[in-house]
Amino acid sequence: MGQILAGAHQGVYLLRFEGDVRLTLCAAVDQFLDQMLRDPEFRSVAVDLTRASGVDSTSLGLMAKLSLRAQERFSFKPTLICREPDMLRLLRSMGFDDVFEIVPEPPRSAAELGPLPRVDVPEEELRAAVLEAHQILMGLNEDNRVAFRDLVAALEADCAPAEPPASSQAGHRS
């Protein structure tokens, strides 16, 4: 099981992914990102994957969201720390080298980290967060668009409000 540790010092944030990080943590990460980017002291953020054994596509989508929002609001690319060759290949194939500064080692002085709290959210909100994460991944490059097109279509259908059934008697005379 994975976890995400987070810390900040003088507006410099660090998120450390440890173990096998899955979508069950996405609500906590999403909330944390919103709070972090609203922090008036916010200066920068780094994501450390050196202790991650796996990261699912929803988590990757949230990482992409973090980068795109940081670039939009603060005009800089966040740092992504990763040295594992398979993970680096995955990140580069998904276009993360376009939205992050990827480096092999964490900074020498890291803020004290503590686990993000688990957040219970309704299933509809979780589905919407998963959909948004994958839509963001699709927007990074054409390969991602193709890879996630069917999944996003299925998620969009799943998130769409149900239409009331059409009356079988409407406009029909016996």
Side-chain angles (χ1 to χ4, degrees):
M1 178 169 208
Q3 67 175 348
I4 300 173
L5 303 176
H9 180 70
Q10 297 178 344
V12 177
Y13 284 79
L14 177 65
L15 295 173
R16 179 177 293 148
F17 288 49
E18 295 186 346
D20 191 20
V21 180
R22 298 282 152 195
L23 79 103
T24 56
L25 300 172
C26 76
V29 173
D30 211 25
Q31 244 179 24
F32 181 80
L33 296 181
D34 287 340
Q35 176 185 343
M36 176 186 69
L37 293 170
R38 284 193 312 264
D39 179 355
E41 293 184 17
F42 177 85
R43 291 193 359 234
S44 67
V45 60
V47 178
D48 183 351
L49 298 180
T50 58
R51 296 183 185 173
S53 59
V55 179
D56 71 356
S57 57
T58 300
S59 299
L60 290 170
L62 286 171
M63 289 168 44
K65 176 182 179 178
L66 160 65
S67 178
L68 296 173
R69 288 187 57 203
Q71 288 180 58
E72 178 183 287
R73 291 192 61 203
F74 303 102
S75 301
F76 77 91
K77 287 186 198 179
T79 301
L80 183 60
I81 306 157
C82 182
R83 60 178 163 250
E84 203 277 309
D86 289 337
M87 182 81 74
L88 281 168
R89 259 189 304 282
L90 170 68
L91 294 170
R92 287 187 177 117
S93 75
M94 298 189 83
F96 275 61
D97 50 342
D98 293 330
V99 295
F100 281 96
E101 296 297 332
I102 300 176
V103 299
E105 298 295 327
R108 290 197 185 268
S109 63
E112 281 210 28
L113 302 176
L116 289 175
R118 296 242 180 237
V119 176
D120 293 323
V121 296
E123 189 175 327
E124 310 82 57
E125 284 183 38
L126 184 58
R127 275 196 303 267
V130 170
L131 173 61
E132 179 188 34
H134 287 87
Q135 288 170 326
I136 290 169
L137 284 175
M138 285 178 68
L140 293 182
N141 66 33
E142 181 62 22
D143 289 341
N144 292 358
R145 190 186 68 72
V146 172
F148 294 109
R149 176 181 47 219
D150 292 341
L151 175 61
V152 166
L155 289 169
E156 286 173 339
D158 195 37
C159 289
E163 293 183 26
S167 172
S168 60
Q169 299 297 324
H172 191 81
R173 288 189 155 159
S174 300

